[in-house]
Amino acid sequence: MRLNYPTNIKVVKVPCTGRVDTLLILKTFESGVDGVYLAGCLEGECHFLRGNLRAKKRVQYVKTLLEEVGLGSGRVEMYNMSSAQGQRFAEVAREMAEKIRALGPSPVKKRKL
Amino acid sequence: MIVADRKSLDEILKMLKPYKKVLLLGCNECVTVSATGGEREVGVLASELKLSRAKDGQEIEIREQTLERQCDHEYIDQIRPFVGDYEVVLSMACGAGIQYLAETYKDKTVLPAVNTTFLGVTLEQGVWSERCQGCGECVLHMTGGICPIARCAKSLLNGPCGGSSNGKCEVDKDLECGWQLIIDRLKALNQMEKYEEIIPIKDWRTSRDGGPRKRIREDLKL
């Protein structure tokens, strides 16, 4: 398909979004990233039945934590797409990159923890 | 198990304001099961604190540690070699654990990261509900195994009161009337004769009214 998506997005492969724990997302923010999004399978089509639904709930929980911390809940999102939707993957990547760019850099960035 | 709620980050940050070196202590027992203060929650709180301080450009050093229990001195003693390296101990255990830590390390400031709430059960993953108030004199044999002290908002021993409506309590329309539950259960067990018996006035000295309680088993003492 030779589709482009923003180069400032780093893809971390996990076997299922259900693998993504609350702490994993928080640690990513500790390392100074500006935003995190999860690209899970379409709802109802999880190979492990409920992985993406669990991830969705965890993302909601992390949103409350980030709001509490003061980073804002918008820096983390959950998206769903199938592995055949390359077009959608690129579209979401651009959408999220734009959203984070609008929010500005993470206030945690470049500050030693 | 003992169920607790995490305090808000704001409240914890206020308590920690003067400190830069924090020993964050979780507990592997009840608060782990009620997902308030186990190893995972210690990790999440540590991360939140670090992010919050980093955002404001302030330093914080946190050591994360989770003890098997904080209500037994054998486990509390495990932090003795390094507790002195930290300005403050932030405990995620129940009130008993937090107090025992403070009692053990008299020169240390020990702060609570949770509000201890009740003795309860896990209704389903992520949902806990109160069942016992530790009143010191159990009447469950009289009430079909449902506690009128913990389940009735008024802790009535002979209920229900006039506030019971369609099986719900007047305190909250979603709250089941404890006495309705008791009656339904006694009916199902065919033990309604127990309901006819008047339970006498309770001697609350066995509860908190008699002051802090203590249990001693001489045969077990060393």
mmCIF file of all heavy atoms in Angstrom, chain A residues 71-109:
data_model
loop_
_atom_site.group_PDB
_atom_site.id
_atom_site.type_symbol
_atom_site.label_atom_id
_atom_site.label_comp_id
_atom_site.label_asym_id
_atom_site.label_seq_id
_atom_site.Cartn_x
_atom_site.Cartn_y
_atom_site.Cartn_z
ATOM 1 N N LEU A 71 -1.408 15.870 33.661
ATOM 2 C CA LEU A 71 -0.933 15.799 32.273
ATOM 3 C C LEU A 71 -2.107 15.906 31.286
ATOM 4 O O LEU A 71 -1.911 16.145 30.106
ATOM 5 C CB LEU A 71 -0.189 14.484 32.007
ATOM 6 C CG LEU A 71 1.164 14.295 32.690
ATOM 7 C CD1 LEU A 71 1.804 12.985 32.263
ATOM 8 C CD2 LEU A 71 2.105 15.438 32.359
ATOM 9 N N GLY A 72 -3.288 15.700 31.788
ATOM 10 C CA GLY A 72 -4.481 15.756 30.934
ATOM 11 C C GLY A 72 -4.823 14.404 30.338
ATOM 12 O O GLY A 72 -3.931 13.636 29.961
ATOM 13 N N SER A 73 -6.134 14.131 30.271
ATOM 14 C CA SER A 73 -6.567 12.800 29.842
ATOM 15 C C SER A 73 -6.434 12.590 28.328
ATOM 16 O O SER A 73 -6.482 11.468 27.842
ATOM 17 C CB SER A 73 -8.014 12.577 30.259
ATOM 18 O OG SER A 73 -8.828 13.587 29.703
ATOM 19 N N GLY A 74 -6.250 13.669 27.592
ATOM 20 C CA GLY A 74 -6.212 13.555 26.131
ATOM 21 C C GLY A 74 -4.951 12.921 25.575
ATOM 22 O O GLY A 74 -4.862 12.634 24.375
ATOM 23 N N ARG A 75 -3.970 12.719 26.419
ATOM 24 C CA ARG A 75 -2.696 12.189 25.916
ATOM 25 C C ARG A 75 -2.692 10.684 25.728
ATOM 26 O O ARG A 75 -1.700 10.103 25.290
ATOM 27 C CB ARG A 75 -1.553 12.589 26.861
ATOM 28 C CG ARG A 75 -1.277 14.069 26.826
ATOM 29 C CD ARG A 75 -0.076 14.440 27.652
ATOM 30 N NE ARG A 75 0.102 15.891 27.659
ATOM 31 C CZ ARG A 75 0.757 16.570 26.734
ATOM 32 N NH1 ARG A 75 1.311 15.931 25.723
ATOM 33 N NH2 ARG A 75 0.871 17.881 26.801
ATOM 34 N N VAL A 76 -3.783 10.053 26.107
ATOM 35 C CA VAL A 76 -3.857 8.608 25.886
ATOM 36 C C VAL A 76 -5.207 8.292 25.237
ATOM 37 O O VAL A 76 -6.242 8.862 25.602
ATOM 38 C CB VAL A 76 -3.612 7.816 27.202
ATOM 39 C CG1 VAL A 76 -4.631 8.129 28.263
ATOM 40 C CG2 VAL A 76 -3.576 6.318 26.948
ATOM 41 N N GLU A 77 -5.162 7.437 24.226
ATOM 42 C CA GLU A 77 -6.394 7.082 23.506
ATOM 43 C C GLU A 77 -6.371 5.609 23.117
ATOM 44 O O GLU A 77 -5.313 4.975 23.095
ATOM 45 C CB GLU A 77 -6.544 7.913 22.218
ATOM 46 C CG GLU A 77 -6.834 9.397 22.418
ATOM 47 C CD GLU A 77 -8.150 9.704 23.113
ATOM 48 O OE1 GLU A 77 -9.013 8.808 23.204
ATOM 49 O OE2 GLU A 77 -8.298 10.846 23.596
ATOM 50 N N MET A 78 -7.569 5.116 22.839
ATOM 51 C CA MET A 78 -7.701 3.735 22.358
ATOM 52 C C MET A 78 -8.360 3.785 20.975
ATOM 53 O O MET A 78 -9.368 4.473 20.789
ATOM 54 C CB MET A 78 -8.589 2.946 23.336
ATOM 55 C CG MET A 78 -8.974 1.556 22.872
ATOM 56 S SD MET A 78 -7.780 0.334 23.396
ATOM 57 C CE MET A 78 -8.165 -1.008 22.276
ATOM 58 N N TYR A 79 -7.776 3.081 20.022
ATOM 59 C CA TYR A 79 -8.373 2.984 18.691
ATOM 60 C C TYR A 79 -8.559 1.506 18.344
ATOM 61 O O TYR A 79 -7.823 0.651 18.830
ATOM 62 C CB TYR A 79 -7.475 3.641 17.638
ATOM 63 C CG TYR A 79 -7.439 5.149 17.716
ATOM 64 C CD1 TYR A 79 -6.395 5.803 18.371
ATOM 65 C CD2 TYR A 79 -8.431 5.924 17.123
ATOM 66 C CE1 TYR A 79 -6.354 7.197 18.440
ATOM 67 C CE2 TYR A 79 -8.399 7.311 17.185
ATOM 68 C CZ TYR A 79 -7.358 7.944 17.844
ATOM 69 O OH TYR A 79 -7.311 9.321 17.908
ATOM 70 N N ASN A 80 -9.511 1.246 17.492
ATOM 71 C CA ASN A 80 -9.727 -0.144 17.044
ATOM 72 C C ASN A 80 -9.669 -0.206 15.524
ATOM 73 O O ASN A 80 -10.251 0.632 14.841
ATOM 74 C CB ASN A 80 -11.092 -0.654 17.515
ATOM 75 C CG ASN A 80 -11.195 -0.685 19.030
ATOM 76 O OD1 ASN A 80 -11.591 0.300 19.651
ATOM 77 N ND2 ASN A 80 -10.813 -1.785 19.632
ATOM 78 N N MET A 81 -8.949 -1.183 15.044
ATOM 79 C CA MET A 81 -8.853 -1.385 13.590
ATOM 80 C C MET A 81 -8.426 -2.822 13.325
ATOM 81 O O MET A 81 -7.783 -3.444 14.180
ATOM 82 C CB MET A 81 -7.846 -0.406 12.995
ATOM 83 C CG MET A 81 -6.429 -0.645 13.456
ATOM 84 S SD MET A 81 -5.379 0.782 13.285
ATOM 85 C CE MET A 81 -5.921 1.844 14.603
ATOM 86 N N SER A 82 -8.774 -3.320 12.175
ATOM 87 C CA SER A 82 -8.348 -4.696 11.886
ATOM 88 C C SER A 82 -6.986 -4.657 11.194
ATOM 89 O O SER A 82 -6.564 -3.609 10.689
ATOM 90 C CB SER A 82 -9.379 -5.401 11.010
ATOM 91 O OG SER A 82 -9.101 -5.156 9.654
ATOM 92 N N SER A 83 -6.333 -5.787 11.151
ATOM 93 C CA SER A 83 -4.996 -5.821 10.545
ATOM 94 C C SER A 83 -5.070 -5.594 9.035
ATOM 95 O O SER A 83 -4.070 -5.348 8.388
ATOM 96 C CB SER A 83 -4.314 -7.154 10.859
ATOM 97 O OG SER A 83 -5.146 -8.213 10.432
ATOM 98 N N ALA A 84 -6.264 -5.662 8.471
ATOM 99 C CA ALA A 84 -6.412 -5.430 7.031
ATOM 100 C C ALA A 84 -6.677 -3.959 6.717
ATOM 101 O O ALA A 84 -6.793 -3.578 5.569
ATOM 102 C CB ALA A 84 -7.565 -6.290 6.500
ATOM 103 N N GLN A 85 -6.773 -3.140 7.789
ATOM 104 C CA GLN A 85 -7.107 -1.728 7.558
ATOM 105 C C GLN A 85 -5.877 -0.830 7.633
ATOM 106 O O GLN A 85 -5.790 0.046 8.489
ATOM 107 C CB GLN A 85 -8.150 -1.274 8.591
ATOM 108 C CG GLN A 85 -9.528 -1.874 8.367
ATOM 109 C CD GLN A 85 -10.508 -1.465 9.442
ATOM 110 O OE1 GLN A 85 -10.238 -1.643 10.628
ATOM 111 N NE2 GLN A 85 -11.648 -0.944 9.036
ATOM 112 N N GLY A 86 -4.961 -1.032 6.719
ATOM 113 C CA GLY A 86 -3.739 -0.219 6.668
ATOM 114 C C GLY A 86 -4.052 1.254 6.528
ATOM 115 O O GLY A 86 -3.433 2.103 7.168
ATOM 116 N N GLN A 87 -5.048 1.523 5.720
ATOM 117 C CA GLN A 87 -5.470 2.909 5.484
ATOM 118 C C GLN A 87 -5.891 3.570 6.797
ATOM 119 O O GLN A 87 -5.503 4.684 7.088
ATOM 120 C CB GLN A 87 -6.663 2.877 4.521
ATOM 121 C CG GLN A 87 -6.975 4.195 3.859
ATOM 122 C CD GLN A 87 -6.055 4.460 2.677
ATOM 123 O OE1 GLN A 87 -5.730 3.542 1.934
ATOM 124 N NE2 GLN A 87 -5.613 5.709 2.551
ATOM 125 N N ARG A 88 -6.667 2.827 7.545
ATOM 126 C CA ARG A 88 -7.169 3.327 8.830
ATOM 127 C C ARG A 88 -6.005 3.527 9.811
ATOM 128 O O ARG A 88 -5.980 4.489 10.570
ATOM 129 C CB ARG A 88 -8.194 2.321 9.392
ATOM 130 C CG ARG A 88 -8.736 2.651 10.748
ATOM 131 C CD ARG A 88 -9.779 3.747 10.721
ATOM 132 N NE ARG A 88 -10.220 4.095 12.070
ATOM 133 C CZ ARG A 88 -10.360 5.327 12.513
ATOM 134 N NH1 ARG A 88 -10.121 6.344 11.722
ATOM 135 N NH2 ARG A 88 -10.768 5.553 13.739
ATOM 136 N N PHE A 89 -5.042 2.603 9.781
ATOM 137 C CA PHE A 89 -3.872 2.707 10.669
ATOM 138 C C PHE A 89 -3.146 4.037 10.422
ATOM 139 O O PHE A 89 -2.829 4.774 11.367
ATOM 140 C CB PHE A 89 -2.911 1.530 10.422
ATOM 141 C CG PHE A 89 -1.686 1.566 11.290
ATOM 142 C CD1 PHE A 89 -1.700 1.037 12.569
ATOM 143 C CD2 PHE A 89 -0.503 2.155 10.832
ATOM 144 C CE1 PHE A 89 -0.568 1.083 13.382
ATOM 145 C CE2 PHE A 89 0.627 2.216 11.637
ATOM 146 C CZ PHE A 89 0.587 1.673 12.915
ATOM 147 N N ALA A 90 -2.918 4.334 9.150
ATOM 148 C CA ALA A 90 -2.206 5.571 8.797
ATOM 149 C C ALA A 90 -3.039 6.800 9.182
ATOM 150 O O ALA A 90 -2.506 7.790 9.691
ATOM 151 C CB ALA A 90 -1.900 5.571 7.310
ATOM 152 N N GLU A 91 -4.342 6.695 8.982
ATOM 153 C CA GLU A 91 -5.251 7.803 9.289
ATOM 154 C C GLU A 91 -5.246 8.099 10.800
ATOM 155 O O GLU A 91 -5.133 9.252 11.215
ATOM 156 C CB GLU A 91 -6.644 7.353 8.843
ATOM 157 C CG GLU A 91 -7.724 8.399 8.849
ATOM 158 C CD GLU A 91 -9.069 7.752 8.478
ATOM 159 O OE1 GLU A 91 -9.132 7.045 7.445
ATOM 160 O OE2 GLU A 91 -10.031 7.912 9.248
ATOM 161 N N VAL A 92 -5.332 7.022 11.598
ATOM 162 C CA VAL A 92 -5.326 7.166 13.062
ATOM 163 C C VAL A 92 -4.000 7.744 13.531
ATOM 164 O O VAL A 92 -3.951 8.618 14.406
ATOM 165 C CB VAL A 92 -5.606 5.794 13.729
ATOM 166 C CG1 VAL A 92 -5.175 5.786 15.176
ATOM 167 C CG2 VAL A 92 -7.082 5.442 13.625
ATOM 168 N N ALA A 93 -2.910 7.277 12.919
ATOM 169 C CA ALA A 93 -1.576 7.765 13.301
ATOM 170 C C ALA A 93 -1.489 9.271 13.072
ATOM 171 O O ALA A 93 -1.004 10.012 13.931
ATOM 172 C CB ALA A 93 -0.501 7.034 12.499
ATOM 173 N N ARG A 94 -2.009 9.702 11.947
ATOM 174 C CA ARG A 94 -1.971 11.144 11.638
ATOM 175 C C ARG A 94 -2.877 11.922 12.602
ATOM 176 O O ARG A 94 -2.499 12.967 13.121
ATOM 177 C CB ARG A 94 -2.409 11.386 10.183
ATOM 178 C CG ARG A 94 -1.294 11.092 9.173
ATOM 179 C CD ARG A 94 -1.665 11.622 7.799
ATOM 180 N NE ARG A 94 -2.788 10.895 7.213
ATOM 181 C CZ ARG A 94 -2.644 9.805 6.449
ATOM 182 N NH1 ARG A 94 -1.453 9.338 6.171
ATOM 183 N NH2 ARG A 94 -3.709 9.190 5.962
ATOM 184 N N GLU A 95 -4.041 11.362 12.846
ATOM 185 C CA GLU A 95 -5.019 12.005 13.734
ATOM 186 C C GLU A 95 -4.446 12.188 15.139
ATOM 187 O O GLU A 95 -4.513 13.265 15.722
ATOM 188 C CB GLU A 95 -6.268 11.111 13.779
ATOM 189 C CG GLU A 95 -7.438 11.694 14.529
ATOM 190 C CD GLU A 95 -8.599 10.689 14.593
ATOM 191 O OE1 GLU A 95 -8.960 10.118 13.541
ATOM 192 O OE2 GLU A 95 -9.111 10.456 15.700
ATOM 193 N N MET A 96 -3.835 11.113 15.662
ATOM 194 C CA MET A 96 -3.285 11.154 17.025
ATOM 195 C C MET A 96 -2.088 12.106 17.079
ATOM 196 O O MET A 96 -1.945 12.877 18.032
ATOM 197 C CB MET A 96 -2.894 9.729 17.454
ATOM 198 C CG MET A 96 -2.536 9.614 18.908
ATOM 199 S SD MET A 96 -3.961 9.897 20.004
ATOM 200 C CE MET A 96 -3.138 9.867 21.600
ATOM 201 N N ALA A 97 -1.232 12.039 16.054
ATOM 202 C CA ALA A 97 -0.051 12.917 16.026
ATOM 203 C C ALA A 97 -0.496 14.382 16.044
ATOM 204 O O ALA A 97 0.083 15.210 16.758
ATOM 205 C CB ALA A 97 0.790 12.620 14.794
ATOM 206 N N GLU A 98 -1.540 14.686 15.303
ATOM 207 C CA GLU A 98 -2.059 16.062 15.254
ATOM 208 C C GLU A 98 -2.629 16.474 16.614
ATOM 209 O O GLU A 98 -2.399 17.578 17.096
ATOM 210 C CB GLU A 98 -3.161 16.176 14.189
ATOM 211 C CG GLU A 98 -2.663 16.634 12.835
ATOM 212 C CD GLU A 98 -1.611 17.728 12.916
ATOM 213 O OE1 GLU A 98 -1.908 18.794 13.480
ATOM 214 O OE2 GLU A 98 -0.473 17.513 12.450
ATOM 215 N N LYS A 99 -3.348 15.544 17.204
ATOM 216 C CA LYS A 99 -3.977 15.818 18.488
ATOM 217 C C LYS A 99 -2.913 16.130 19.552
ATOM 218 O O LYS A 99 -3.045 17.072 20.327
ATOM 219 C CB LYS A 99 -4.795 14.587 18.911
ATOM 220 C CG LYS A 99 -5.701 14.856 20.059
ATOM 221 C CD LYS A 99 -6.468 13.643 20.499
ATOM 222 C CE LYS A 99 -7.139 13.963 21.810
ATOM 223 N NZ LYS A 99 -7.691 12.807 22.456
ATOM 224 N N ILE A 100 -1.870 15.317 19.562
ATOM 225 C CA ILE A 100 -0.799 15.510 20.550
ATOM 226 C C ILE A 100 -0.014 16.777 20.260
ATOM 227 O O ILE A 100 0.374 17.514 21.170
ATOM 228 C CB ILE A 100 0.139 14.271 20.582
ATOM 229 C CG1 ILE A 100 -0.641 13.024 20.991
ATOM 230 C CG2 ILE A 100 1.316 14.492 21.517
ATOM 231 C CD1 ILE A 100 -1.288 13.077 22.356
ATOM 232 N N ARG A 101 0.189 17.038 18.980
ATOM 233 C CA ARG A 101 0.904 18.271 18.610
ATOM 234 C C ARG A 101 0.135 19.491 19.152
ATOM 235 O O ARG A 101 0.718 20.434 19.673
ATOM 236 C CB ARG A 101 1.039 18.370 17.088
ATOM 237 C CG ARG A 101 2.208 19.280 16.658
ATOM 238 C CD ARG A 101 2.231 19.472 15.168
ATOM 239 N NE ARG A 101 2.182 18.211 14.429
ATOM 240 C CZ ARG A 101 3.236 17.448 14.175
ATOM 241 N NH1 ARG A 101 4.417 17.820 14.589
ATOM 242 N NH2 ARG A 101 3.113 16.326 13.498
ATOM 243 N N ALA A 102 -1.190 19.425 19.045
ATOM 244 C CA ALA A 102 -2.022 20.531 19.537
ATOM 245 C C ALA A 102 -1.908 20.662 21.054
ATOM 246 O O ALA A 102 -1.952 21.764 21.596
ATOM 247 C CB ALA A 102 -3.471 20.303 19.136
ATOM 248 N N LEU A 103 -1.758 19.530 21.753
ATOM 249 C CA LEU A 103 -1.635 19.570 23.219
ATOM 250 C C LEU A 103 -0.264 20.087 23.652
ATOM 251 O O LEU A 103 -0.076 20.520 24.776
ATOM 252 C CB LEU A 103 -1.864 18.172 23.809
ATOM 253 C CG LEU A 103 -3.295 17.642 23.828
ATOM 254 C CD1 LEU A 103 -3.313 16.184 24.263
ATOM 255 C CD2 LEU A 103 -4.165 18.462 24.756
ATOM 256 N N GLY A 104 0.718 19.977 22.767
ATOM 257 C CA GLY A 104 2.073 20.417 23.083
ATOM 258 C C GLY A 104 2.876 19.316 23.746
ATOM 259 O O GLY A 104 2.337 18.249 24.069
ATOM 260 N N PRO A 105 4.164 19.583 23.950
ATOM 261 C CA PRO A 105 5.013 18.540 24.538
ATOM 262 C C PRO A 105 4.618 18.221 25.978
ATOM 263 O O PRO A 105 4.077 19.085 26.669
ATOM 264 C CB PRO A 105 6.421 19.130 24.472
ATOM 265 C CG PRO A 105 6.232 20.583 24.270
ATOM 266 C CD PRO A 105 4.907 20.798 23.628
ATOM 267 N N SER A 106 4.899 17.017 26.416
ATOM 268 C CA SER A 106 4.595 16.614 27.782
ATOM 269 C C SER A 106 5.420 17.447 28.757
ATOM 270 O O SER A 106 6.622 17.624 28.553
ATOM 271 C CB SER A 106 4.935 15.136 27.965
ATOM 272 O OG SER A 106 5.070 14.849 29.336
ATOM 273 N N PRO A 107 4.784 17.970 29.819
ATOM 274 C CA PRO A 107 5.555 18.759 30.786
ATOM 275 C C PRO A 107 6.609 17.934 31.523
ATOM 276 O O PRO A 107 7.474 18.490 32.197
ATOM 277 C CB PRO A 107 4.485 19.283 31.742
ATOM 278 C CG PRO A 107 3.243 18.528 31.473
ATOM 279 C CD PRO A 107 3.346 17.909 30.136
ATOM 280 N N VAL A 108 6.509 16.621 31.396
ATOM 281 C CA VAL A 108 7.479 15.749 32.068
ATOM 282 C C VAL A 108 8.756 15.648 31.242
ATOM 283 O O VAL A 108 9.820 15.343 31.738
ATOM 284 C CB VAL A 108 6.857 14.336 32.269
ATOM 285 C CG1 VAL A 108 7.865 13.352 32.807
ATOM 286 C CG2 VAL A 108 5.649 14.422 33.172
ATOM 287 N N LYS A 109 8.637 15.943 29.972
ATOM 288 C CA LYS A 109 9.733 15.756 29.016
ATOM 289 C C LYS A 109 11.034 16.437 29.440
ATOM 290 O O LYS A 109 11.019 17.553 29.947
ATOM 291 C CB LYS A 109 9.310 16.311 27.658
ATOM 292 C CG LYS A 109 9.989 15.633 26.512
ATOM 293 C CD LYS A 109 9.262 15.974 25.235
ATOM 294 C CE LYS A 109 9.689 15.008 24.159
ATOM 295 N NZ LYS A 109 8.912 15.148 22.965
#
